[in-house]
Amino acid sequence: MITDKKIVVIGSGVSGVGAVKLLEAAGAVPTLYDSNEKLTGAEVRGRLPEGSKCKIVLGAFPEELKKETELVVLSPGVPVDLPLVEELRANGATIWGEVELAYHFGKGRIAAITGTNGKTTTTTLVGEIFKSYYPEVFVVGNIGTAYTQEALKMTGNSVTAAEISSFQLETIENFHPKVSAILNITPDHLNRHHTMKCYIETKEKIAENQTRDDTCVLNYDDEETRRFGETCKASVLYFSREHILDQGVYLDGTAIVYADEAVRTKICDISELKLLGTHNYENVMAAVAITAAMGVPFPYIRETVINFTAVEHRIEFVAEKKGVAYYNDSKGTNTDASIKAVQAMNRPTIVIGGGYDKHVTFDDWIECFGDKVKWLVLLGQTANQIAETAKKHGFTNIVFTGSLEEAVQVCADKAESGDAVLLSPACASWGMFDNYEQRGRMFKDYVRALPE
């Protein structure tokens, strides 16, 4: 029994606390460890349920505990190649992450969604489609509700939509979704995965325990995911914006169509969608494929798809001030996501960019600006790197700012009626903000405070 093992949860953030709560609810008495010596035991204890018997260890990891530990549950932000983790593994400890732990206790069927971009929108839409048809639905994972928080509530009748990050996929062992999906793969998190090969292989782990009785939904237009489809052990269902498919979901002119050999079913026309941008057509097609593979009838899929609006922080319309439209794309934490956001704009645009350095290049992002982007307003760790890249490509309308509030004011000063201002940083938020949600909320507050 897992509850009889000596278990250590590493990381005292939301994920780590969620893991502790699940383990204690299941009857285990774990140890919660965090290397941050600035934390206090009282502070960490305050994050746990009243009456928790969890032991708390801060700072240096005790040698005796290294020898005793049988199971380690890593928070997603803890690298799997951390020396401490490697030492624990060498001592014989099993290394799990939040997803593997939750899967061990959870029940029902799972649709698991990963990819560099579009995960949150697609997972949210899949969850809404499930809710229109199934009575017992959970939407969990990297989307904001910890999988561990919901696992013990699941039954054999549960249907779960799970957004799974590459960090979470590093530590799966038995995780076995009924339907998996890889939406796309572009460079991201190379500071963590080090090489594209490692990043790609980590994404592909989402389907490693699937069989031919399961389904893996893949992007036919993405070279890496199409290649993976040739060796994937699950039954592959493609979606495509650029090709007509014999089997799968595709865009035929302005119609989103589901093809099952000779039978072709029109789901909707893109003019009926409330989502902005061609990348969202791909998200919708992926959601159609996923939910159809999970047994949802087409009328339920169609009704939900045409009524679905954008998720928070993803090309989210905030306000119009003095004829200028402001959009919050704080979830644009890599260049590919931000390229899609720029492409979705239908006005002359001022872009706010910059943030935490994930060791990626910005050439493709700058090249997509064309004649659409008027000014680039920069902040954060990557500001100089982005500016140098922009100048290399002949883009020189650049302003450096020291804060997001200043950046919003600069945009307001430079924008003319009919323009758009787009926060799409192409970088993670760490360093200046707790997360992209905080960055997006602050942007919206600053925008709403602007004079009408």
Side-chain angles (χ1 to χ4, degrees), residues 333 335 353-362 365-366 376-390 398 400 425-430 432 439:
T333 58
T335 54
Y356 180 80
D357 187 3
K358 293 196 285 185
H359 300 173
V360 298
T361 58
F362 297 94
W365 182 45
I366 300 298
L376 179 58
V377 179
L378 296 172
L379 70 161
Q381 192 179 30
T382 56
N384 288 326
Q385 181 189 350
I386 293 172
E388 290 304 312
T389 303
I398 300 166
F400 292 93
C427 301
S429 57
W430 311 316
M432 297 183 74
R439 177 171 61 188

PDB file of all heavy atoms in Angstrom, residues 333 335 353-362 365-366 376-390 398 400 425-430 432 439:
ATOM      1  N   THR A 333       3.336  32.957 -23.104  1.00  0.00           N
ATOM      2  CA  THR A 333       4.604  32.881 -22.383  1.00  0.00           C
ATOM      3  C   THR A 333       5.743  32.341 -23.239  1.00  0.00           C
ATOM      4  O   THR A 333       6.819  32.053 -22.733  1.00  0.00           O
ATOM      5  CB  THR A 333       4.459  32.009 -21.123  1.00  0.00           C
ATOM      6  OG1 THR A 333       4.005  30.705 -21.510  1.00  0.00           O
ATOM      7  CG2 THR A 333       3.467  32.625 -20.151  1.00  0.00           C
ATOM      8  N   THR A 335       7.302  32.380 -27.673  1.00  0.00           N
ATOM      9  CA  THR A 335       7.209  33.137 -28.922  1.00  0.00           C
ATOM     10  C   THR A 335       6.097  32.619 -29.827  1.00  0.00           C
ATOM     11  O   THR A 335       5.417  33.411 -30.485  1.00  0.00           O
ATOM     12  CB  THR A 335       8.550  33.098 -29.677  1.00  0.00           C
ATOM     13  OG1 THR A 335       8.957  31.736 -29.867  1.00  0.00           O
ATOM     14  CG2 THR A 335       9.626  33.842 -28.907  1.00  0.00           C
ATOM     15  N   GLY A 353       6.050  43.318 -24.383  1.00  0.00           N
ATOM     16  CA  GLY A 353       6.741  42.037 -24.319  1.00  0.00           C
ATOM     17  C   GLY A 353       7.866  42.041 -23.302  1.00  0.00           C
ATOM     18  O   GLY A 353       8.221  43.073 -22.732  1.00  0.00           O
ATOM     19  N   GLY A 354       8.419  40.847 -23.099  1.00  0.00           N
ATOM     20  CA  GLY A 354       9.565  40.701 -22.202  1.00  0.00           C
ATOM     21  C   GLY A 354       9.196  40.052 -20.881  1.00  0.00           C
ATOM     22  O   GLY A 354       8.045  40.062 -20.463  1.00  0.00           O
ATOM     23  N   GLY A 355      10.192  39.447 -20.245  1.00  0.00           N
ATOM     24  CA  GLY A 355       9.970  38.776 -18.978  1.00  0.00           C
ATOM     25  C   GLY A 355      11.129  37.870 -18.624  1.00  0.00           C
ATOM     26  O   GLY A 355      12.293  38.185 -18.889  1.00  0.00           O
ATOM     27  N   TYR A 356      10.814  36.713 -18.084  1.00  0.00           N
ATOM     28  CA  TYR A 356      11.812  35.741 -17.625  1.00  0.00           C
ATOM     29  C   TYR A 356      12.503  35.074 -18.816  1.00  0.00           C
ATOM     30  O   TYR A 356      11.868  34.767 -19.824  1.00  0.00           O
ATOM     31  CB  TYR A 356      11.113  34.701 -16.755  1.00  0.00           C
ATOM     32  CG  TYR A 356      12.011  33.615 -16.195  1.00  0.00           C
ATOM     33  CD1 TYR A 356      12.802  33.847 -15.077  1.00  0.00           C
ATOM     34  CD2 TYR A 356      12.042  32.350 -16.782  1.00  0.00           C
ATOM     35  CE1 TYR A 356      13.612  32.849 -14.555  1.00  0.00           C
ATOM     36  CE2 TYR A 356      12.841  31.347 -16.265  1.00  0.00           C
ATOM     37  CZ  TYR A 356      13.623  31.590 -15.154  1.00  0.00           C
ATOM     38  OH  TYR A 356      14.410  30.603 -14.645  1.00  0.00           O
ATOM     39  N   ASP A 357      13.798  34.827 -18.694  1.00  0.00           N
ATOM     40  CA  ASP A 357      14.588  34.239 -19.780  1.00  0.00           C
ATOM     41  C   ASP A 357      14.511  32.714 -19.749  1.00  0.00           C
ATOM     42  O   ASP A 357      15.027  32.075 -18.836  1.00  0.00           O
ATOM     43  CB  ASP A 357      16.046  34.685 -19.648  1.00  0.00           C
ATOM     44  CG  ASP A 357      16.899  34.244 -20.834  1.00  0.00           C
ATOM     45  OD1 ASP A 357      16.349  33.638 -21.778  1.00  0.00           O
ATOM     46  OD2 ASP A 357      18.111  34.513 -20.809  1.00  0.00           O
ATOM     47  N   LYS A 358      13.856  32.114 -20.758  1.00  0.00           N
ATOM     48  CA  LYS A 358      13.772  30.655 -20.870  1.00  0.00           C
ATOM     49  C   LYS A 358      14.765  30.121 -21.914  1.00  0.00           C
ATOM     50  O   LYS A 358      14.617  29.008 -22.400  1.00  0.00           O
ATOM     51  CB  LYS A 358      12.345  30.233 -21.227  1.00  0.00           C
ATOM     52  CG  LYS A 358      11.346  30.505 -20.118  1.00  0.00           C
ATOM     53  CD  LYS A 358      10.043  29.749 -20.324  1.00  0.00           C
ATOM     54  CE  LYS A 358       9.197  30.364 -21.410  1.00  0.00           C
ATOM     55  NZ  LYS A 358       7.878  29.701 -21.527  1.00  0.00           N
ATOM     56  N   HIS A 359      15.721  30.942 -22.278  1.00  0.00           N
ATOM     57  CA  HIS A 359      16.798  30.545 -23.194  1.00  0.00           C
ATOM     58  C   HIS A 359      16.259  30.189 -24.577  1.00  0.00           C
ATOM     59  O   HIS A 359      16.616  29.159 -25.151  1.00  0.00           O
ATOM     60  CB  HIS A 359      17.615  29.367 -22.617  1.00  0.00           C
ATOM     61  CG  HIS A 359      18.267  29.692 -21.313  1.00  0.00           C
ATOM     62  ND1 HIS A 359      18.931  28.752 -20.558  1.00  0.00           N
ATOM     63  CD2 HIS A 359      18.353  30.848 -20.604  1.00  0.00           C
ATOM     64  CE1 HIS A 359      19.403  29.313 -19.461  1.00  0.00           C
ATOM     65  NE2 HIS A 359      19.056  30.585 -19.468  1.00  0.00           N
ATOM     66  N   VAL A 360      15.401  31.035 -25.107  1.00  0.00           N
ATOM     67  CA  VAL A 360      14.899  30.851 -26.464  1.00  0.00           C
ATOM     68  C   VAL A 360      15.248  32.090 -27.279  1.00  0.00           C
ATOM     69  O   VAL A 360      15.654  33.116 -26.736  1.00  0.00           O
ATOM     70  CB  VAL A 360      13.376  30.616 -26.485  1.00  0.00           C
ATOM     71  CG1 VAL A 360      13.018  29.345 -25.729  1.00  0.00           C
ATOM     72  CG2 VAL A 360      12.615  31.804 -25.899  1.00  0.00           C
ATOM     73  N   THR A 361      15.095  32.000 -28.587  1.00  0.00           N
ATOM     74  CA  THR A 361      15.350  33.137 -29.469  1.00  0.00           C
ATOM     75  C   THR A 361      14.022  33.789 -29.854  1.00  0.00           C
ATOM     76  O   THR A 361      12.963  33.175 -29.743  1.00  0.00           O
ATOM     77  CB  THR A 361      16.098  32.693 -30.731  1.00  0.00           C
ATOM     78  OG1 THR A 361      15.313  31.702 -31.408  1.00  0.00           O
ATOM     79  CG2 THR A 361      17.456  32.102 -30.367  1.00  0.00           C
ATOM     80  N   PHE A 362      14.099  35.030 -30.341  1.00  0.00           N
ATOM     81  CA  PHE A 362      12.887  35.800 -30.598  1.00  0.00           C
ATOM     82  C   PHE A 362      12.746  36.214 -32.067  1.00  0.00           C
ATOM     83  O   PHE A 362      11.877  37.016 -32.399  1.00  0.00           O
ATOM     84  CB  PHE A 362      12.875  37.051 -29.705  1.00  0.00           C
ATOM     85  CG  PHE A 362      12.832  36.721 -28.236  1.00  0.00           C
ATOM     86  CD1 PHE A 362      14.005  36.643 -27.490  1.00  0.00           C
ATOM     87  CD2 PHE A 362      11.631  36.470 -27.607  1.00  0.00           C
ATOM     88  CE1 PHE A 362      13.969  36.332 -26.142  1.00  0.00           C
ATOM     89  CE2 PHE A 362      11.583  36.146 -26.258  1.00  0.00           C
ATOM     90  CZ  PHE A 362      12.753  36.079 -25.520  1.00  0.00           C
ATOM     91  N   TRP A 365       9.277  35.694 -33.764  1.00  0.00           N
ATOM     92  CA  TRP A 365       8.276  36.605 -33.191  1.00  0.00           C
ATOM     93  C   TRP A 365       8.403  37.991 -33.823  1.00  0.00           C
ATOM     94  O   TRP A 365       7.397  38.570 -34.275  1.00  0.00           O
ATOM     95  CB  TRP A 365       8.463  36.660 -31.678  1.00  0.00           C
ATOM     96  CG  TRP A 365       7.473  37.508 -30.941  1.00  0.00           C
ATOM     97  CD1 TRP A 365       6.115  37.545 -31.130  1.00  0.00           C
ATOM     98  CD2 TRP A 365       7.751  38.427 -29.887  1.00  0.00           C
ATOM     99  NE1 TRP A 365       5.534  38.427 -30.244  1.00  0.00           N
ATOM    100  CE2 TRP A 365       6.520  38.981 -29.469  1.00  0.00           C
ATOM    101  CE3 TRP A 365       8.926  38.823 -29.240  1.00  0.00           C
ATOM    102  CZ2 TRP A 365       6.427  39.918 -28.440  1.00  0.00           C
ATOM    103  CZ3 TRP A 365       8.836  39.739 -28.211  1.00  0.00           C
ATOM    104  CH2 TRP A 365       7.597  40.283 -27.824  1.00  0.00           C
ATOM    105  N   ILE A 366       9.628  38.511 -33.877  1.00  0.00           N
ATOM    106  CA  ILE A 366       9.833  39.835 -34.471  1.00  0.00           C
ATOM    107  C   ILE A 366       9.447  39.827 -35.950  1.00  0.00           C
ATOM    108  O   ILE A 366       8.818  40.769 -36.447  1.00  0.00           O
ATOM    109  CB  ILE A 366      11.304  40.283 -34.311  1.00  0.00           C
ATOM    110  CG1 ILE A 366      11.696  40.353 -32.822  1.00  0.00           C
ATOM    111  CG2 ILE A 366      11.531  41.621 -35.007  1.00  0.00           C
ATOM    112  CD1 ILE A 366      10.912  41.352 -32.001  1.00  0.00           C
ATOM    113  N   LEU A 376       7.048  48.415 -29.929  1.00  0.00           N
ATOM    114  CA  LEU A 376       7.323  47.292 -29.038  1.00  0.00           C
ATOM    115  C   LEU A 376       7.766  47.876 -27.700  1.00  0.00           C
ATOM    116  O   LEU A 376       8.800  48.548 -27.615  1.00  0.00           O
ATOM    117  CB  LEU A 376       8.417  46.397 -29.620  1.00  0.00           C
ATOM    118  CG  LEU A 376       8.837  45.176 -28.795  1.00  0.00           C
ATOM    119  CD1 LEU A 376       7.652  44.257 -28.516  1.00  0.00           C
ATOM    120  CD2 LEU A 376       9.951  44.400 -29.530  1.00  0.00           C
ATOM    121  N   VAL A 377       6.975  47.650 -26.671  1.00  0.00           N
ATOM    122  CA  VAL A 377       7.248  48.185 -25.341  1.00  0.00           C
ATOM    123  C   VAL A 377       7.756  47.039 -24.473  1.00  0.00           C
ATOM    124  O   VAL A 377       7.060  46.042 -24.277  1.00  0.00           O
ATOM    125  CB  VAL A 377       5.976  48.807 -24.731  1.00  0.00           C
ATOM    126  CG1 VAL A 377       6.257  49.352 -23.337  1.00  0.00           C
ATOM    127  CG2 VAL A 377       5.458  49.923 -25.643  1.00  0.00           C
ATOM    128  N   LEU A 378       8.988  47.171 -23.947  1.00  0.00           N
ATOM    129  CA  LEU A 378       9.671  46.048 -23.309  1.00  0.00           C
ATOM    130  C   LEU A 378       9.905  46.253 -21.821  1.00  0.00           C
ATOM    131  O   LEU A 378      10.105  47.379 -21.356  1.00  0.00           O
ATOM    132  CB  LEU A 378      11.016  45.803 -23.999  1.00  0.00           C
ATOM    133  CG  LEU A 378      10.956  45.368 -25.473  1.00  0.00           C
ATOM    134  CD1 LEU A 378      12.352  45.347 -26.078  1.00  0.00           C
ATOM    135  CD2 LEU A 378      10.287  44.011 -25.594  1.00  0.00           C
ATOM    136  N   LEU A 379       9.901  45.145 -21.104  1.00  0.00           N
ATOM    137  CA  LEU A 379      10.253  45.139 -19.684  1.00  0.00           C
ATOM    138  C   LEU A 379      10.796  43.760 -19.339  1.00  0.00           C
ATOM    139  O   LEU A 379      10.678  42.819 -20.118  1.00  0.00           O
ATOM    140  CB  LEU A 379       9.041  45.474 -18.812  1.00  0.00           C
ATOM    141  CG  LEU A 379       7.903  44.466 -18.688  1.00  0.00           C
ATOM    142  CD1 LEU A 379       7.058  44.787 -17.447  1.00  0.00           C
ATOM    143  CD2 LEU A 379       6.990  44.480 -19.904  1.00  0.00           C
ATOM    144  N   GLY A 380      11.418  43.652 -18.184  1.00  0.00           N
ATOM    145  CA  GLY A 380      11.869  42.352 -17.698  1.00  0.00           C
ATOM    146  C   GLY A 380      13.256  41.951 -18.149  1.00  0.00           C
ATOM    147  O   GLY A 380      13.968  42.670 -18.847  1.00  0.00           O
ATOM    148  N   GLN A 381      13.630  40.742 -17.756  1.00  0.00           N
ATOM    149  CA  GLN A 381      14.977  40.194 -17.928  1.00  0.00           C
ATOM    150  C   GLN A 381      15.397  40.115 -19.390  1.00  0.00           C
ATOM    151  O   GLN A 381      16.571  40.286 -19.729  1.00  0.00           O
ATOM    152  CB  GLN A 381      14.988  38.800 -17.296  1.00  0.00           C
ATOM    153  CG  GLN A 381      16.341  38.164 -17.122  1.00  0.00           C
ATOM    154  CD  GLN A 381      16.217  36.801 -16.452  1.00  0.00           C
ATOM    155  OE1 GLN A 381      15.221  36.106 -16.612  1.00  0.00           O
ATOM    156  NE2 GLN A 381      17.224  36.440 -15.677  1.00  0.00           N
ATOM    157  N   THR A 382      14.452  39.838 -20.281  1.00  0.00           N
ATOM    158  CA  THR A 382      14.788  39.615 -21.690  1.00  0.00           C
ATOM    159  C   THR A 382      14.698  40.875 -22.543  1.00  0.00           C
ATOM    160  O   THR A 382      14.875  40.807 -23.759  1.00  0.00           O
ATOM    161  CB  THR A 382      13.848  38.560 -22.294  1.00  0.00           C
ATOM    162  OG1 THR A 382      12.492  38.995 -22.103  1.00  0.00           O
ATOM    163  CG2 THR A 382      14.047  37.204 -21.653  1.00  0.00           C
ATOM    164  N   ALA A 383      14.426  42.015 -21.947  1.00  0.00           N
ATOM    165  CA  ALA A 383      14.181  43.233 -22.726  1.00  0.00           C
ATOM    166  C   ALA A 383      15.320  43.554 -23.686  1.00  0.00           C
ATOM    167  O   ALA A 383      15.098  43.829 -24.876  1.00  0.00           O
ATOM    168  CB  ALA A 383      13.930  44.410 -21.785  1.00  0.00           C
ATOM    169  N   ASN A 384      16.557  43.504 -23.198  1.00  0.00           N
ATOM    170  CA  ASN A 384      17.689  43.843 -24.067  1.00  0.00           C
ATOM    171  C   ASN A 384      17.865  42.838 -25.187  1.00  0.00           C
ATOM    172  O   ASN A 384      18.142  43.204 -26.336  1.00  0.00           O
ATOM    173  CB  ASN A 384      18.971  43.944 -23.236  1.00  0.00           C
ATOM    174  CG  ASN A 384      19.005  45.191 -22.364  1.00  0.00           C
ATOM    175  OD1 ASN A 384      18.487  46.233 -22.753  1.00  0.00           O
ATOM    176  ND2 ASN A 384      19.595  45.080 -21.188  1.00  0.00           N
ATOM    177  N   GLN A 385      17.697  41.555 -24.870  1.00  0.00           N
ATOM    178  CA  GLN A 385      17.842  40.520 -25.894  1.00  0.00           C
ATOM    179  C   GLN A 385      16.794  40.702 -26.992  1.00  0.00           C
ATOM    180  O   GLN A 385      17.095  40.605 -28.191  1.00  0.00           O
ATOM    181  CB  GLN A 385      17.700  39.137 -25.272  1.00  0.00           C
ATOM    182  CG  GLN A 385      17.858  38.004 -26.295  1.00  0.00           C
ATOM    183  CD  GLN A 385      17.497  36.640 -25.714  1.00  0.00           C
ATOM    184  OE1 GLN A 385      17.310  36.497 -24.507  1.00  0.00           O
ATOM    185  NE2 GLN A 385      17.364  35.648 -26.579  1.00  0.00           N
ATOM    186  N   ILE A 386      15.559  40.972 -26.584  1.00  0.00           N
ATOM    187  CA  ILE A 386      14.494  41.174 -27.567  1.00  0.00           C
ATOM    188  C   ILE A 386      14.775  42.409 -28.412  1.00  0.00           C
ATOM    189  O   ILE A 386      14.609  42.394 -29.635  1.00  0.00           O
ATOM    190  CB  ILE A 386      13.132  41.298 -26.866  1.00  0.00           C
ATOM    191  CG1 ILE A 386      12.745  39.968 -26.206  1.00  0.00           C
ATOM    192  CG2 ILE A 386      12.040  41.709 -27.857  1.00  0.00           C
ATOM    193  CD1 ILE A 386      11.517  40.050 -25.323  1.00  0.00           C
ATOM    194  N   ALA A 387      15.241  43.480 -27.767  1.00  0.00           N
ATOM    195  CA  ALA A 387      15.532  44.716 -28.494  1.00  0.00           C
ATOM    196  C   ALA A 387      16.626  44.502 -29.533  1.00  0.00           C
ATOM    197  O   ALA A 387      16.520  44.976 -30.680  1.00  0.00           O
ATOM    198  CB  ALA A 387      15.938  45.811 -27.514  1.00  0.00           C
ATOM    199  N   GLU A 388      17.690  43.789 -29.159  1.00  0.00           N
ATOM    200  CA  GLU A 388      18.770  43.513 -30.107  1.00  0.00           C
ATOM    201  C   GLU A 388      18.270  42.681 -31.283  1.00  0.00           C
ATOM    202  O   GLU A 388      18.645  42.925 -32.443  1.00  0.00           O
ATOM    203  CB  GLU A 388      19.919  42.790 -29.394  1.00  0.00           C
ATOM    204  CG  GLU A 388      20.684  43.662 -28.415  1.00  0.00           C
ATOM    205  CD  GLU A 388      21.231  44.933 -29.067  1.00  0.00           C
ATOM    206  OE1 GLU A 388      21.835  44.820 -30.162  1.00  0.00           O
ATOM    207  OE2 GLU A 388      21.028  46.020 -28.505  1.00  0.00           O
ATOM    208  N   THR A 389      17.412  41.707 -30.988  1.00  0.00           N
ATOM    209  CA  THR A 389      16.844  40.886 -32.066  1.00  0.00           C
ATOM    210  C   THR A 389      15.980  41.739 -32.987  1.00  0.00           C
ATOM    211  O   THR A 389      16.048  41.618 -34.214  1.00  0.00           O
ATOM    212  CB  THR A 389      15.992  39.739 -31.469  1.00  0.00           C
ATOM    213  OG1 THR A 389      16.799  38.966 -30.591  1.00  0.00           O
ATOM    214  CG2 THR A 389      15.443  38.848 -32.578  1.00  0.00           C
ATOM    215  N   ALA A 390      15.167  42.622 -32.393  1.00  0.00           N
ATOM    216  CA  ALA A 390      14.291  43.485 -33.194  1.00  0.00           C
ATOM    217  C   ALA A 390      15.106  44.391 -34.117  1.00  0.00           C
ATOM    218  O   ALA A 390      14.806  44.527 -35.311  1.00  0.00           O
ATOM    219  CB  ALA A 390      13.406  44.316 -32.266  1.00  0.00           C
ATOM    220  N   ILE A 398      11.127  50.994 -30.368  1.00  0.00           N
ATOM    221  CA  ILE A 398      11.239  50.239 -29.115  1.00  0.00           C
ATOM    222  C   ILE A 398      11.289  51.195 -27.932  1.00  0.00           C
ATOM    223  O   ILE A 398      11.980  52.210 -27.977  1.00  0.00           O
ATOM    224  CB  ILE A 398      12.516  49.364 -29.129  1.00  0.00           C
ATOM    225  CG1 ILE A 398      12.461  48.363 -30.292  1.00  0.00           C
ATOM    226  CG2 ILE A 398      12.686  48.629 -27.799  1.00  0.00           C
ATOM    227  CD1 ILE A 398      13.786  47.704 -30.574  1.00  0.00           C
ATOM    228  N   PHE A 400      11.824  51.005 -23.635  1.00  0.00           N
ATOM    229  CA  PHE A 400      12.110  50.218 -22.429  1.00  0.00           C
ATOM    230  C   PHE A 400      11.334  50.811 -21.249  1.00  0.00           C
ATOM    231  O   PHE A 400      11.290  52.037 -21.085  1.00  0.00           O
ATOM    232  CB  PHE A 400      13.600  50.228 -22.102  1.00  0.00           C
ATOM    233  CG  PHE A 400      14.439  49.486 -23.095  1.00  0.00           C
ATOM    234  CD1 PHE A 400      15.023  50.147 -24.169  1.00  0.00           C
ATOM    235  CD2 PHE A 400      14.650  48.119 -22.966  1.00  0.00           C
ATOM    236  CE1 PHE A 400      15.804  49.465 -25.083  1.00  0.00           C
ATOM    237  CE2 PHE A 400      15.430  47.423 -23.877  1.00  0.00           C
ATOM    238  CZ  PHE A 400      16.004  48.098 -24.943  1.00  0.00           C
ATOM    239  N   PRO A 425       3.717  38.722 -23.835  1.00  0.00           N
ATOM    240  CA  PRO A 425       5.136  38.930 -23.515  1.00  0.00           C
ATOM    241  C   PRO A 425       6.137  38.018 -24.207  1.00  0.00           C
ATOM    242  O   PRO A 425       7.323  38.322 -24.233  1.00  0.00           O
ATOM    243  CB  PRO A 425       5.170  38.720 -21.995  1.00  0.00           C
ATOM    244  CG  PRO A 425       3.758  38.926 -21.549  1.00  0.00           C
ATOM    245  CD  PRO A 425       2.921  38.393 -22.658  1.00  0.00           C
ATOM    246  N   ALA A 426       5.682  36.852 -24.717  1.00  0.00           N
ATOM    247  CA  ALA A 426       6.590  35.865 -25.324  1.00  0.00           C
ATOM    248  C   ALA A 426       7.587  35.318 -24.302  1.00  0.00           C
ATOM    249  O   ALA A 426       8.573  34.687 -24.677  1.00  0.00           O
ATOM    250  CB  ALA A 426       7.331  36.456 -26.529  1.00  0.00           C
ATOM    251  N   CYS A 427       7.327  35.553 -23.034  1.00  0.00           N
ATOM    252  CA  CYS A 427       8.221  35.134 -21.948  1.00  0.00           C
ATOM    253  C   CYS A 427       7.394  34.776 -20.721  1.00  0.00           C
ATOM    254  O   CYS A 427       6.279  35.272 -20.545  1.00  0.00           O
ATOM    255  CB  CYS A 427       9.185  36.260 -21.558  1.00  0.00           C
ATOM    256  SG  CYS A 427      10.237  36.854 -22.888  1.00  0.00           S
ATOM    257  N   ALA A 428       7.975  33.949 -19.867  1.00  0.00           N
ATOM    258  CA  ALA A 428       7.323  33.633 -18.600  1.00  0.00           C
ATOM    259  C   ALA A 428       7.319  34.863 -17.700  1.00  0.00           C
ATOM    260  O   ALA A 428       8.042  35.826 -17.926  1.00  0.00           O
ATOM    261  CB  ALA A 428       8.031  32.467 -17.915  1.00  0.00           C
ATOM    262  N   SER A 429       6.499  34.799 -16.664  1.00  0.00           N
ATOM    263  CA  SER A 429       6.295  35.953 -15.788  1.00  0.00           C
ATOM    264  C   SER A 429       7.242  35.988 -14.603  1.00  0.00           C
ATOM    265  O   SER A 429       7.347  36.995 -13.915  1.00  0.00           O
ATOM    266  CB  SER A 429       4.855  35.922 -15.256  1.00  0.00           C
ATOM    267  OG  SER A 429       4.618  34.688 -14.578  1.00  0.00           O
ATOM    268  N   TRP A 430       7.912  34.856 -14.314  1.00  0.00           N
ATOM    269  CA  TRP A 430       8.724  34.750 -13.101  1.00  0.00           C
ATOM    270  C   TRP A 430       9.772  35.855 -13.023  1.00  0.00           C
ATOM    271  O   TRP A 430      10.327  36.269 -14.012  1.00  0.00           O
ATOM    272  CB  TRP A 430       9.410  33.378 -13.046  1.00  0.00           C
ATOM    273  CG  TRP A 430       8.465  32.252 -13.298  1.00  0.00           C
ATOM    274  CD1 TRP A 430       7.213  32.090 -12.784  1.00  0.00           C
ATOM    275  CD2 TRP A 430       8.673  31.147 -14.185  1.00  0.00           C
ATOM    276  NE1 TRP A 430       6.635  30.943 -13.276  1.00  0.00           N
ATOM    277  CE2 TRP A 430       7.511  30.339 -14.137  1.00  0.00           C
ATOM    278  CE3 TRP A 430       9.728  30.745 -14.996  1.00  0.00           C
ATOM    279  CZ2 TRP A 430       7.369  29.174 -14.865  1.00  0.00           C
ATOM    280  CZ3 TRP A 430       9.599  29.580 -15.730  1.00  0.00           C
ATOM    281  CH2 TRP A 430       8.430  28.806 -15.654  1.00  0.00           C
ATOM    282  N   MET A 432       9.302  39.025 -12.043  1.00  0.00           N
ATOM    283  CA  MET A 432       8.551  40.251 -11.769  1.00  0.00           C
ATOM    284  C   MET A 432       7.167  39.966 -11.191  1.00  0.00           C
ATOM    285  O   MET A 432       6.563  40.816 -10.548  1.00  0.00           O
ATOM    286  CB  MET A 432       8.397  41.072 -13.054  1.00  0.00           C
ATOM    287  CG  MET A 432       9.692  41.574 -13.651  1.00  0.00           C
ATOM    288  SD  MET A 432       9.428  42.606 -15.112  1.00  0.00           S
ATOM    289  CE  MET A 432       8.834  44.127 -14.374  1.00  0.00           C
ATOM    290  N   ARG A 439       0.211  38.635 -13.574  1.00  0.00           N
ATOM    291  CA  ARG A 439       0.607  39.622 -14.589  1.00  0.00           C
ATOM    292  C   ARG A 439      -0.606  40.089 -15.382  1.00  0.00           C
ATOM    293  O   ARG A 439      -0.804  41.287 -15.625  1.00  0.00           O
ATOM    294  CB  ARG A 439       1.665  39.005 -15.516  1.00  0.00           C
ATOM    295  CG  ARG A 439       2.110  39.909 -16.653  1.00  0.00           C
ATOM    296  CD  ARG A 439       3.306  39.323 -17.401  1.00  0.00           C
ATOM    297  NE  ARG A 439       3.000  38.030 -18.017  1.00  0.00           N
ATOM    298  CZ  ARG A 439       3.917  37.243 -18.599  1.00  0.00           C
ATOM    299  NH1 ARG A 439       5.191  37.627 -18.632  1.00  0.00           N
ATOM    300  NH2 ARG A 439       3.572  36.092 -19.145  1.00  0.00           N
TER     301      ARG A 439
END
